[in-house]
């Protein structure tokens, strides 16, 4: 009965003991103890508590406590010998215990080439401050995000010389074999990489995901090589562009003003898309083009003059899935290009862009919308690769889509304008290069490309020849304007709509803008008792805005 009571009291005491208190007590009793049996009995409760908490042996628990006291940074076997009052030879007998503590990640070697110095990792100390046991990160059953959290820890160890490149390569091999369910792992294995290249590719991915760094220098790669010779050989191959990873289109030189910099590297857009799709990494061509799915498109009634309406209707009929497939096959049979390119041109607000959206909705097609200003902002640099990658991505969409998607270059004046003869500046040369690439892509296009522009007089003749259909969008006449007014503001009478359409020569975009202002006003102040007068005031303000060259998109 007495033994049970004593055990119960010990258990209760142990439950109130914190990790730091236990370490402090062990440190106090172990000083000059020679790790004797007497000491082990005196500190039995605290040692057992720590050993059970961390899943280590009792001797390892004592050594961990001494490393915390003598360190936690830069501890060696001399420190252990001095603290325990034993000779250095006896201290070396603890080597297997130190190795076990390193494997448990409670210690780490300061230099993998010299295992005489070790310290307590910051993560372990951080947990101790909060009375938490440092747990080894999970290594199996990971998702992609969890895997990169683990990789972040390992590459920190590599940079701290706590693990060698060879040891990390072995860890990676085990990690990837244990987690075949991760898409990153599946795609990585498809490259059939050797150990060295596997480590390099993983390092590039780690730097991008965990450091948001896509501009890699040699100084960041040096740790991935255990010898200077292999590092120098790799540097020479990288500089020349002959490295195996470059020939396989996995990494590439970064560019500055269109010129490759042989000292800076990045993952290729293809590699990012293949390896990191689970993490939704936005590749460059994805930043300059968004895919709008047909189900996201809202039905909107459009009003055209008879001439424009007839052309749009014909285009709609042509783009219907069955008709489009038949036409494409017939074009192939006759040896013609089967890609389709169409230009919508005319003033702002005349319905060019909205017509594309409605054609896509009515024919069940997704739209890849290219952000033309974003392309232009990237001209000085890697623009040629970006535009090629853009078309590569579109080709992939064509292959996988149920219906051929539409590639839309909206407000494309900047990239289909007249090319500059005798271009001298880097920017002018880059613009011409971009245009030449687009012209070449249009020649081999296997899909549907639509472009809109406000400045048809600036259209380069080479582009004009490649657009099979060209539809000019003009401002609606008075009868069409009346229909738009009544569609946008249903409470208008036909007489009021006629007054507005006769008095103001507006585009559909301008009328829509006024209708939006009218809606906002009614929400804030209630319905106007003099609606026609209010609308006329809005129209006069809109007309003034037009005289100051403010464009209203439609």
């Amino acid at each position: 009965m007495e033994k049970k009571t004593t055990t119960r009291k010990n258990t209760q005491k142990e439950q109130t003991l914190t990790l730091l208190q236990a370490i402090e007590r062990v440190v106090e009793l172990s000083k000059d103890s020679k790790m004797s049996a007497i000491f082990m009995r005196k500190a039995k409760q605290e040692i057992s508590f720590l050993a059970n908490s961390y899943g280590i042996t009792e001797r390892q628990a004592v050594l961990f406590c001494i490393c915390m006291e003598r360190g936690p940074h830069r501890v060696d076997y001399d420190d252990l010998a001095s603290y325990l009052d034993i000779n250095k030879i006896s201290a070396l007998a603890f080597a297997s215990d130190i190795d076990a503590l390193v494997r448990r990640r409670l210690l780490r070697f300061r230099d993998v080439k010299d295992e005489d110095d070790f310290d307590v990792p910051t993560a372990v100390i951080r947990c101790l401050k909060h009375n938490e046991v440092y747990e080894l990160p999970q290594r199996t059953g990971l998702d992609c995000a969890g895997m990169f959290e683990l990789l972040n820890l390992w590459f920190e160890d590599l940079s701290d010389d706590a693990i060698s490149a060879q040891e990390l390569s072995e860890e990676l091999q085990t990690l990837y074999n244990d987690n075949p369910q991760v898409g990153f792992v599946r795609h990585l294995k498809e490259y059939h990489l050797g150990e060295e290249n596997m480590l390099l590719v993983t390092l590039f991915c780690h730097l991008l995901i965990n450091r948001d760094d896509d501009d890699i220098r040699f100084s960041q790669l040096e740790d991935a090589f255990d010898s200077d010779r292999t590092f120098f050989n790799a540097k020479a191959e990288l500089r020349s562009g002959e490295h195996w990873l470059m020939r396989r289109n996995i990494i590439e030189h970064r560019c500055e003003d269109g010129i490759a910099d042989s000292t800076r590297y990045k993952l290729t857009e293809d590699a990012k898309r293949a390896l990191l799709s689970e993490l939704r990494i936005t590749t460059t061509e994805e930043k300059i083009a968004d895919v709008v799915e047909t189900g996201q498109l809202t039905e909107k009634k459009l009003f055209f003059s008879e001439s424009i309406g007839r052309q749009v209707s014909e285009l709609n009929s042509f783009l219907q899935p069955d008709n489009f497939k038949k036409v494409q096959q017939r074009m192939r049979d006759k040896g013609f290009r089967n890609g389709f390119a169409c230009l919508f041109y005319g003033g702002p607000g005349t319905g060019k862009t909205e017509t594309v959206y409605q054609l896509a909705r009515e024919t069940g097609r997704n739209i890849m919308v290219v952000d033309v200003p974003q392309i232009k902002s990237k001209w000085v640099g890697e623009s040629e690769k970006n535009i090629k990658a853009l078309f590569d991505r579109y080709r992939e969409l064509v292959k996988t889509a149920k219906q051929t998607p539409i590639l839309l270059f909206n407000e494309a004046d900047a990239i289909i304008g007249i090319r500059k003869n005798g271009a001298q500046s880097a920017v002018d040369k880059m613009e011409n290069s971009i245009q030449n690439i687009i012209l070449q892509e249009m020649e081999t296009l296997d899909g549907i490309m639509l472009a809109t522009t406000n400045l048809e007089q600036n259209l380069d003749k080479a582009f004009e020849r490649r657009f099979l259909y060209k539809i000019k969008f003009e401002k609606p006449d008075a009868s069409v304007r009346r229909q738009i007014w009544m569609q946008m503001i249903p409470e208008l009478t036909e007489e009021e709509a006629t007054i507005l359409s006769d008095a103001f020569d507006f585009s559909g975009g301008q009328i829509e803008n006024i209708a939006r202002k009218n809606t906002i006003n009614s929400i804030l102040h209630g319905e106007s008792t003099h609606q026609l007068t209010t609308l006329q005031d809005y129209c006069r303000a809109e007309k003034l805005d037009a005289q100051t060259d403010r464009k209203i998109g439609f």
Side-chain angles (χ1 to χ4, degrees):
M1 185 70 177
E2 186 178 340
K3 287 185 178 180
K4 289 185 180 179
T5 303
T6 303
T7 303
R8 190 181 305 115
K9 286 180 180 179
N10 288 339
T11 302
Q12 290 172 349
K13 184 177 179 181
E14 186 175 290
Q15 287 175 347
T16 63
L17 194 66
T18 67
L19 294 169
L20 283 175
Q21 287 171 343
I23 292 172
E24 184 179 15
R25 179 65 173 160
V26 172
V27 166
E28 178 186 337
L29 295 175
S30 62
K31 176 67 173 170
D32 298 330
S33 69
K34 302 183 188 297
M35 197 78 82
S36 67
I38 296 174
F39 151 69
M40 296 296 285
R41 282 197 301 271
K42 282 184 179 179
K44 177 67 175 178
Q45 179 182 317
E46 290 82 1
I47 293 172
S48 296
F49 172 61
L50 292 169
N52 292 334
S53 296
Y54 286 107
I56 55 181
T57 68
E58 292 189 349
R59 188 162 79 164
Q60 290 162 13
V62 175
L63 293 172
F64 172 66
C65 293
I66 297 172
C67 289
M68 280 291 299
E69 173 64 16
R70 298 294 289 185
H73 306 298
R74 197 172 189 89
V75 186
D76 58 24
Y77 289 101
D78 286 348
D79 290 316
L80 299 179
S82 172
Y83 198 82
L84 291 170
D85 190 25
I86 59 178
N87 61 52
K88 296 178 183 179
I89 302 300
S90 297
L92 289 175
F94 299 139
S96 61
D97 295 299
I98 296 298
D99 288 344
L101 288 169
V102 169
R103 288 194 297 273
R104 176 59 180 82
R105 302 269 175 166
L106 296 177
L107 296 180
R108 65 180 178 182
F109 293 122
R110 291 178 56 82
D111 186 343
V112 294
K113 298 174 184 176
D114 181 2
E115 297 181 355
D116 289 339
D117 293 341
F118 29 90
D119 62 19
V120 182
T122 302
V124 176
I125 299 171
R126 189 184 304 120
C127 287
L128 276 171
K129 289 178 180 178
H130 298 284
N131 195 36
E132 296 173 353
V133 173
Y134 176 75
E135 300 289 356
L136 281 172
Q138 183 180 342
R139 299 177 58 129
T140 59
L142 297 173
D143 60 12
C144 196
M147 179 166 286
F148 273 91
E149 287 181 13
L150 183 56
L151 291 176
N152 189 40
L153 295 175
W154 286 355
F155 278 106
E156 282 183 0
D157 286 347
L158 182 67
S159 63
D160 290 342
D161 288 329
I163 188 173
S164 69
Q166 179 60 39
E167 288 170 331
L168 179 52
S169 291
E170 293 170 1
E171 292 272 25
L172 291 178
Q173 194 63 52
T174 302
L175 178 69
Y176 295 155
N177 288 338
D178 289 345
N179 292 276
Q181 75 283 354
V182 179
F184 168 71
V185 173
R186 290 198 304 273
H187 292 301
L188 199 59
K189 290 188 174 181
E190 288 173 0
Y191 287 127
H192 303 292
L193 304 167
E195 281 190 6
E196 183 180 295
N197 287 332
M198 176 82 78
L199 178 57
L200 271 181
V201 174
T202 304
L203 175 58
F204 270 83
C205 293
H206 151 71
L207 290 170
L208 178 60
I209 300 301
N210 293 321
R211 301 285 186 272
D212 196 26
D213 190 350
D214 199 23
D215 187 358
I216 312 304
R217 316 298 177 100
F218 286 128
S219 59
Q220 296 166 279
L221 303 178
E222 189 170 2
D223 290 334
F225 299 88
D226 279 337
S227 74
D228 291 340
R229 182 179 60 80
T230 54
F231 178 50
F232 290 147
N233 289 342
K235 279 177 67 174
E237 292 177 347
L238 288 166
R239 284 182 184 278
S240 66
E242 291 300 315
H243 194 279
W244 190 87
L245 292 175
M246 303 182 83
R247 288 188 277 111
R248 288 293 302 272
N249 192 38
I250 298 172
I251 64 173
E252 63 186 355
H253 290 128
R254 290 197 66 88
C255 293
E256 195 69 41
D257 294 333
I259 301 173
D261 185 338
S262 62
T263 65
R264 298 162 57 199
Y265 304 89
K266 62 188 281 289
L267 289 168
T268 64
E269 302 300 329
D270 286 346
K272 290 177 191 175
R273 191 163 50 248
L275 292 169
L276 305 173
S277 58
E278 292 162 294
L279 298 177
R280 301 186 182 278
I281 292 298
T282 304
T283 58
T284 302
E285 73 273 14
E286 288 170 336
K287 293 177 184 176
I288 59 179
D290 291 324
V291 176
V292 179
E293 296 185 359
T294 184
Q296 299 174 268
L297 300 171
T298 304
E299 182 178 2
K300 188 171 185 179
K301 186 172 177 58
L302 299 177
F303 298 91
F304 302 111
S305 67
E306 183 179 347
S307 173
I308 298 174
R310 185 173 59 252
Q311 294 178 77
V312 171
S313 179
E314 181 181 347
L315 184 56
N316 188 321
S317 176
F318 168 67
L319 291 179
Q320 291 299 325
D322 289 343
N323 291 341
F324 183 71
K325 288 179 181 177
K326 290 177 183 176
V327 171
Q328 273 200 315
Q329 188 58 52
R330 186 69 61 86
M331 298 288 274
R332 290 191 191 97
D333 294 344
K334 290 184 173 291
F336 292 124
R337 298 192 303 269
N338 65 332
F340 173 78
C342 179
L343 178 70
F344 291 173
Y345 66 98
T350 51
K352 302 182 295 295
T353 303
E354 190 59 48
T355 299
V356 177
Y357 287 135
Q358 294 306 311
L359 285 170
R361 185 188 63 80
E362 292 173 11
T363 60
R365 302 183 187 279
N366 297 336
I367 311 176
M368 184 173 170
V369 185
V370 181
D371 186 342
V372 174
Q374 181 78 352
I375 292 178
K376 191 170 184 180
S377 72
K378 294 182 179 293
W379 273 358
V380 178
E382 301 179 331
S383 47
E384 293 102 326
K385 289 183 180 179
N386 293 341
I387 200 70
K388 288 178 179 177
L390 179 74
F391 277 96
D392 286 342
R393 184 181 172 212
Y394 177 68
R395 276 187 281 273
E396 289 179 11
L397 290 178
V398 171
K399 290 177 183 176
T400 58
K402 184 177 180 181
Q403 303 297 345
T404 302
I406 294 171
L407 177 62
L408 171 60
F409 284 84
N410 201 26
E411 298 183 7
D413 314 59
I415 57 174
I416 62 175
I418 297 173
R419 285 171 291 176
K420 299 174 179 63
N421 292 324
Q424 296 297 320
S425 72
V427 174
D428 286 346
K429 291 178 180 178
M430 197 69 67
E431 290 179 1
N432 285 351
S433 179
I434 287 293
Q435 290 175 310
N436 289 335
I437 291 170
I438 295 175
L439 287 169
Q440 292 167 11
E441 293 288 352
M442 290 178 73
E443 286 288 335
T444 58
L445 181 70
D446 183 14
I448 303 165
M449 174 179 165
L450 298 181
T452 69
T453 177
N454 297 332
L455 305 172
E456 73 275 11
Q457 66 272 20
N458 289 339
L459 182 65
D460 191 278
K461 294 297 182 184
F463 280 102
E464 186 176 338
R465 288 194 300 272
R466 284 168 173 79
F467 286 113
L468 183 62
Y469 281 73
K470 292 175 278 289
I471 301 178
K472 183 175 183 179
F473 284 70
E474 298 174 322
K475 284 186 177 181
D477 58 27
S479 63
V480 174
R481 289 198 297 272
R482 183 174 64 253
Q483 295 178 63
I484 297 174
W485 277 112
M486 295 185 72
Q487 171 72 20
M488 295 286 182
I489 310 176
E491 58 268 26
L492 281 176
T493 66
E494 188 169 346
E495 181 183 359
E496 289 171 329
T498 300
I499 291 171
L500 292 170
S501 61
D502 288 345
F504 300 98
D505 182 22
F506 283 160
S507 68
Q510 289 172 302
I511 296 173
E512 181 181 35
N513 205 37
I514 293 164
R516 291 172 62 206
K517 288 180 182 178
N518 183 62
T519 299
I520 293 170
N521 182 69
S522 65
I523 293 171
L524 295 176
H525 308 293
E527 297 292 341
S528 173
T529 55
H530 305 286
Q531 181 172 255
L532 181 60
T533 302
T534 300
L535 290 172
Q536 287 172 325
D537 288 341
Y538 289 152
C539 288
R540 282 187 281 271
E542 187 73 21
K543 197 170 184 180
L544 181 62
D545 288 342
Q547 291 172 356
T548 59
D549 292 325
R550 185 170 67 87
K551 294 182 180 180
I552 305 295
F554 178 57

